[in-house]
Structures are given as structure tokens and as C-alpha cells.
Amino acid sequence: MSRFLDPPQPKPLISEEKVDKTYKSMRLKVFLGAFFGYAAYYLVRKNLSLAAPDMIADGILDAGKVGLAMSAVSIAYAFSKFVMGSVSDRSDARKFLCVGLVLSALVMMSVGLIPFGTNTAVNTAIIFVMMLLVGWLSGFGWPPCGRIMAHWFSQNERSFKMSIWNVSHTIGSFSLGFLAIAGVALAADLGVAQSWRGNFVFPALIALVIALFCWWAIRDTPESCGLPAVGDWRNDHSGVKSKGAAGEKLPFKVLFVDYVLKNKLLWIVAISNVAVYMVRYGIGDWAPTYLQAKGIMTAAESKVAFSVHNIVGAVGTIACGWATSKIFKGRCAPMNVICMLLCGLGVLLYWMVGAGIIQAEPGTQKVLVYVALCMIGFFIYGPVALTGVQALNLVPKNAAGTAAGFVGLFGYLLGDAVCSKIVVGGIANSSSWDAAMLSVAIGSLIGVVLCALLIPSEKRLTQE
């Protein structure tokens, strides 16, 4: 398996007159492959969340333990993204992404095909193990995409291109809901007794089709296609230089110790990512519960607000990436500071409306909540994308996956699982929702300080 995933050897350079046309064509194909490939990973990640109510109603799952099964995906994904990052740096991005996507789809599909019994404890244990496996395989998605972006796009354009690419997870999550609806309807039309199985099977089939497209579109590096390195083609040689050749397969010790554990700037990015993910999920995941608990919105209204928050986030991601590229010449730290500061103001508004500090009529109150959620969504998803870009910019291209995995481990494990779930939820349970949302606001302000620490170093690196 390891030999199968080995990156391809560089090919002889093609004739100079063909370089520009070939480069532009290949970059579009590779970008689309990475975009739709990563989106497809989201078609086979959160399926259990959609199927759980019907599975509980059918006596397949225990309502009290379904949350445990769902958490398995996030826990496994956090560690997998880190470990698989270093493996992807020594692998062919095309094979790595496609193999992981195919295996993820097959595992998720199998959940919809298992003939579960009537023992909910056994069923929950089986699904927990399956979700752990899905979470681990999900870690095959981001690292090869990071490798692709590092090798096919130079540093001063990468922030904008990666911001566009980062919208892929929004597209994937958005599409999953509709594909699940179609899958359930199709299962019912085919006479399947437990139509909830369509939540797992149909999206997985679509993911397999997308994997075929990715195999056609993606190539590992420009050098593997007979093209010069992207820095030579664009005359952009900024960024950290490798101890070896750009495409060289580095030893694990060099990847983990020299480029990650000893990289003080990468540690700051990773810790700042904790604050970013605390705000991202502390607001997004709790919004329906918070708004209903405070009596601000009904269940249906809170779901609409949640959707608007995410859609605006997709727009903000692209806008922040454009501003980073055009205004700050690819430097992410200044834009992250601006975004986290404005996002923090949005969180404070959100908290003050819910806490009654800002008093208004019910209609005006809802408008203010929408304004706050739009502010938060627009400005938080920029840093979500840009911290990934910073991770790539702080290491050589052949350590991109390892760096991205390290930063992602902090974001998903500490920022999401610990801070946004355990800390925020615990404060809400033991104290109040007002105190919980205030803790998220404090987290955003801490993020401002941590992001600002990188401004001098980032400016120096882009000038080298």
C-alpha cells in the first residue's frame, strides 16, 4: 500500500512554448479535482446526524447514546488529520485523496446495509466503531489538498485560491442534506422497509462517482507532468525553503521535529486556530439550541438563521482571501486580526441581545440576531481558511500536509471538541447561556492577540 501511494517521479520538461498553456489547463483541472474531492468527503461524514432520528424511532439506536456515536467522527478526524498529514507529504496526492474518498464512501455505505438487530447497545457500539473508521478516513481529505495547493500555487496567490477552495466543505455539507432527502425517497420508492438507509447509501454512491472525476483531474505536482516548479513559472520564490529538493520524500523525523515541533511560529498558528474553531463551532453548533432556549426564535426560525450564518460564511471566505491576496500581498496575519476583531464584535452583539443588555421588540430582536450571525459567519470563515494557508506558508512544500495536520489537530480537538463542545456546553449547563456566549466572545478576543503575534514574522518571511 505504501509503495502504491509513493509520489510519481518528475518527468522531463515539456517544450517551453507549451508550458504556459499546459500549466493553466492543468491548474484548473487539479483545482477542480481538489475542490470537488474535498466536498465529497463531506457527503460521507455527517450522515449519522441526519439518519439518527429515524434510527431512534425504529429502535436501532439509544437516544441517550447517539451523541457518543456522533462524537467518534470528530475525535478520530482530529488525530487522523495530523497523522495522515505527514503520510500525505510522502505520497501521491491524487492516489491519497481518491483512495481515502473511496474507502470513506464504502464504509459509510456499509452502515446503510448492515442488518441491525434489536439490541440498541450492540447497534450503538457497531456504529461507534464505524464512525471512528469514517473519521479516520476523513483525514485523507485535507492533507493531499494542502499538498496540491502548495505545489500548484505560489505563495503570493495561495491565500485567494485556497479561500475559494475552502468553500468546498460548505458545498459538501449543503449538498449532503439534499442527497440524503433524495436517498430516503428513493429507498421508499424501492420498497426498502427502513428508508433511513438512504441517508448513508445514496450520498456514498455520489462520492464514489466524484472519486472517479478526481482520479481524472488531479496530478501530484507540476514536475510530475513535465512542468517547471510553480515558483519558477510565476517567478515567485517566496516562502520557506526545503532542506532537500521540492518534491523529495522527507524522513518522518525531519517532518515532525525540524519543520513542526521546532517551528515556534507554527505553534502560534496552531494555538490561534483553537480560538478560531472555538468561535466557529461555539456559535454555529449551539445556535439553534441557544436561540430556542432564550426564546428568541422557534425551532424552524433557528434552523433558517443557522443556514444563513453558513451561507454568508462562504461569501466571507472568498472576500477575505481576495483581500489577503490583493491588499496584503498574501500575508494572512493582518487579515486574520481584522476578521477576528470584527467577528468578536458580532459575538458581543449576539451575547448582548440574548442577555437582554440590548432590549428590543421581538421583531427587532430577531433582526439584530441575524445581523450578529451574519457578521460572525462572514468574518470567522476567513481565519478558518487563512490559518490553513499560514500553515503551508511556514514550511517547505514537501512538509505541507504535516503542518496542516498539526494545525488542524489543535483546531478540531482543542477548539471544537474541548472548547466549543465541553467548555461552552458545560458553562451553559452549570451557569447560563449568557455566560457561555460571553466565553465565546472572550475566545475571539484572545484570537485577535494570537493572530497579531504573527504579523512581524510573516512580513519578514514574505520579503526573504
Side-chain angles (χ1 to χ4, degrees), residues 45 71-88 96 131-143 256 401-414 416-418:
R45 185 180 298 180
S71 69
V73 176
S74 297
I75 294 170
Y77 179 64
F79 287 100
S80 176
K81 189 174 180 181
F82 178 45
V83 175
M84 290 299 107
S86 62
V87 178
S88 75
F96 201 87
M131 291 302 105
L132 275 177
L133 185 54
V134 165
W136 187 264
L137 291 170
S138 293
F140 282 62
W142 207 107
F256 279 114
T402 305
F406 179 72
V407 171
L409 174 66
F410 276 69
Y412 279 98
L413 185 63
L414 298 181
D416 179 12
V418 175

Side-chain angles (χ1 to χ4, degrees), residues 233-378:
W233 179 59
R234 297 194 76 250
N235 193 29
D236 174 18
H237 296 283
S238 57
V240 180
K241 305 300 184 294
S242 173
K243 294 182 178 180
E248 183 182 339
K249 192 174 178 180
L250 296 176
F252 281 109
K253 178 183 178 298
V254 175
L255 289 172
F256 279 114
V257 178
D258 294 353
Y259 290 138
V260 173
L261 298 182
K262 291 183 179 180
N263 192 330
K264 295 179 181 178
L265 297 180
L266 194 62
W267 276 92
I268 297 175
V269 174
I271 297 171
S272 70
N273 207 33
V274 175
V276 170
Y277 272 70
M278 178 186 182
V279 177
R280 176 188 180 183
Y281 289 111
I283 296 297
D285 283 4
W286 290 111
T289 304
Y290 171 70
L291 294 174
Q292 292 174 58
K294 300 296 291 185
I296 297 173
M297 293 184 179
T298 64
E301 289 171 338
S302 67
K303 289 177 182 177
V304 173
F306 171 80
S307 296
V308 171
H309 165 77
N310 281 282
I311 291 170
V312 171
V315 178
T317 301
I318 297 174
C320 293
W322 178 88
T324 301
S325 180
K326 300 299 181 181
I327 299 175
F328 297 108
K329 308 304 179 184
R331 292 186 293 116
C332 303
M335 197 68 223
N336 278 345
V337 171
I338 294 171
C339 286
M340 289 301 292
L341 182 60
L342 293 174
C343 178
L345 293 177
V347 178
L348 285 173
L349 175 61
Y350 190 64
W351 164 66
M352 288 190 290
V353 173
I357 297 173
I358 297 178
Q359 296 185 353
E361 295 295 322
T364 304
Q365 193 179 41
K366 290 178 183 178
V367 171
L368 290 174
V369 167
Y370 267 109
V371 170
L373 285 175
C374 286
M375 280 185 67
I376 298 166
F378 189 92

